[in-house]
Amino acid sequence: MKIIIVDDEPLARARLEALLGECEDAAVIASVSDGEAALAICMQAQPDLLLLDINMPGMDGTALAQRLARLPRPPQVVFCTAYEQFAPRAFELGVVDYLLKPVRLERLREALQRARLRIDAAPGAAPALTARSRDEERRIPLAEVIFLVADEKYVTVHHDHGEALIEDSLRQLEQAWPEHLLRVHRNCLVASARLLGIRTLDDGRSVVRLAGTEQTPEVSRRSLPAVRRHVRGDT
C-alpha cells in the first residue's frame, strides 16, 4: 500500500514511519505536516491510505477527510490522534480505523489489514486475498477461491492451484465480500459461485458439493437454512 503520513508533530510522523517499517506491504510515499500539502500529493500520487492526525492547524483531519471523499479515487483514511472524543465524528466520515497515540504496532497492523480489505472490496477492484509464505507474498484472485477453513491462528484457502495460508479471519472476509463468500460452518466459508448443492450423509450430517474440488465441507445446523436458500436461488 502507498501510504501518506499527515501530522503536524515531527516526532509523531517519525514514530509512525518507524512502525510502518515493521509492517509488510506498506510503503511511505510522503510524510507531511498539514492538510493542504497532503491534499496536493493525493491529487498527483493517488495513495492507497492516509494515516491522518485530526487536530492540526489550517485544514484539520476531518476537513481533509471530507475533501478526499470527493476525489474520483479516494484513499482510505486511518485517524491517528491523542483525543478519544473525535471517534464518533471519525466513523461518520467512513474512516477505516481510529488509532489513539501513542500508536501500538499491533493496532497499526490491524488498521492496515482493514484498509487492505476495503481497498480490495472497492468497486472496480479485482477481489483478491493476500497469502504469505516466509518472506513472499502472493495475491489469490477471489474467482479462484473454492473454500476457506479456519484452524487456530490461520485460515487455509483452498483454491484452483492448491492451498495457501492467510492471516485474515473468516469474519473479516465474510464482512468484506458477503456477495462472494457464504458461511457454511463456524470454521468454514465457501465461494458462493462454486456451490453445486447439499448432500445429506447417512449419519444425518449435511455437506456441500463444490465445483473444482472433491472435498465436501460440512454444513452446521445453524447455517443450513441459509445454504439451502442459496442453493434454491432465494438469496
Side-chain angles (χ1 to χ4, degrees), residues 20-120:
L20 288 167
E22 300 185 46
C23 299
E24 297 180 356
D25 192 29
V28 178
I29 63 171
S31 179
V32 297
S33 61
D34 62 86
E36 289 82 0
L39 183 59
I41 295 172
C42 288
M43 300 288 284
Q44 297 178 350
Q46 293 190 330
D48 299 303
L49 173 67
L50 265 70
L51 295 178
L52 178 58
D53 188 20
I54 294 179
N55 192 16
M56 298 185 297
M59 184 188 299
D60 67 11
T62 56
L64 177 58
Q66 289 175 310
R67 293 285 298 274
L68 293 174
R70 296 197 289 268
L71 294 178
R73 185 183 176 275
Q76 301 300 320
V77 172
V78 171
F79 279 137
C80 302
T81 178
Y83 304 100
E84 294 185 7
Q85 66 265 31
F86 292 115
R89 176 60 176 150
F91 288 110
E92 286 176 6
L93 294 171
V95 304
V96 173
D97 209 337
Y98 188 94
L99 305 181
L100 288 175
K101 297 177 181 178
V103 175
R104 294 182 293 108
L105 179 59
E106 287 308 310
R107 280 291 290 118
L108 179 60
R109 283 175 170 159
E110 287 179 13
L112 295 181
Q113 184 57 34
R114 291 180 182 180
R116 169 58 67 191
L117 289 172
R118 190 176 291 189
I119 291 166
D120 289 343

Side-chain angles (χ1 to χ4, degrees), residues 5 11-23 28 105 108:
I5 300 171
L11 290 178
R13 295 199 305 273
R15 174 177 170 77
L16 280 175
E17 191 158 0
L19 290 175
L20 288 167
E22 300 185 46
C23 299
V28 178
L105 179 59
L108 179 60

Side-chain angles (χ1 to χ4, degrees), residues 142-157:
L142 208 57
E144 297 180 3
V145 173
I146 305 172
F147 67 100
L148 307 98
V149 178
D151 181 16
E152 296 182 357
K153 183 179 178 181
Y154 295 99
V155 167
T156 301
V157 183

Side-chain angles (χ1 to χ4, degrees), residues 180-219:
H180 293 287
L181 300 175
L182 178 67
R183 173 83 61 174
V184 299
H185 198 279
R186 61 179 177 80
N187 68 346
C188 183
L189 299 175
V190 303
S192 339
R194 303 285 186 135
L195 188 56
L196 298 176
I198 305 172
R199 184 166 64 207
T200 303
L201 304 181
D202 293 340
D203 60 7
R205 292 182 298 123
S206 297
V207 297
V208 287
R209 295 183 296 109
L210 303 170
T213 182
E214 294 298 318
Q215 297 191 56
T216 54
E218 184 176 351
V219 184

